[in-house]
Amino acid sequence: MRVDVRSEAGGRIVLRPVGEVDMSTAAVLDRAVDAALDCPETVRVVVDLAEVPFLDSTGLAALLRGAAEAVGRGASLRVVDPQPVVARVLRITAVDTLLGLASGRQAPPEADPDATAA
């Protein structure tokens, strides 16, 4: 598993894990989230799950740790575009809305889940 990183304007960093996030790879995601949050200008970390076909409890824990750490640093962490199996894991564990997914909606990575309509 690898994590592609893209920095965007406004302190937004997009992390795109590619591959399964499980007990043997969750540490890679943890390190990527930590590195993104270590950048002083970071205000939002977006984890694009489009290329993650499987997420187990250790992957889920990595996302939740990242979200909690982000809040502690005055930032946010959101997930976007999960594959159906991963979306189901997020939904049945009741962390989908906590991680920024609206029920039944999968925002594309370019969308800003914290933005309000004008």
Side-chain angles (χ1 to χ4, degrees), residues 79-96:
V79 299
V80 296
D81 205 20
Q83 292 189 19
V85 169
V86 173
R88 183 170 187 263
V89 169
L90 296 172
R91 189 176 58 254
I92 65 174
T93 57
V95 300
D96 52 346

Side-chain angles (χ1 to χ4, degrees), residues 23-92:
M23 66 185 267
S24 65
T25 62
V28 175
L29 179 59
D30 265 332
R31 286 190 298 272
V33 169
D34 285 344
L37 291 172
D38 282 343
C39 296
E41 61 277 354
T42 300
V43 296
R44 181 171 300 116
V45 176
V46 177
V47 182
D48 178 355
L49 298 174
E51 297 297 323
V52 176
F54 177 79
L55 178 87
D56 75 359
S57 61
T58 55
L60 185 61
L63 291 171
L64 291 172
R65 272 192 303 274
E69 182 67 20
V71 168
R73 295 183 187 204
S76 67
L77 181 142
R78 299 287 183 257
V79 299
V80 296
D81 205 20
Q83 292 189 19
V85 169
V86 173
R88 183 170 187 263
V89 169
L90 296 172
R91 189 176 58 254
I92 65 174

Side-chain angles (χ1 to χ4, degrees), residues 4-24:
D4 297 332
V5 180
R6 183 176 74 235
S7 294
E8 298 181 345
R12 179 174 149 145
I13 297 180
V14 178
L15 303 176
R16 187 176 179 113
V18 178
E20 296 184 353
V21 183
D22 56 24
M23 66 185 267
S24 65

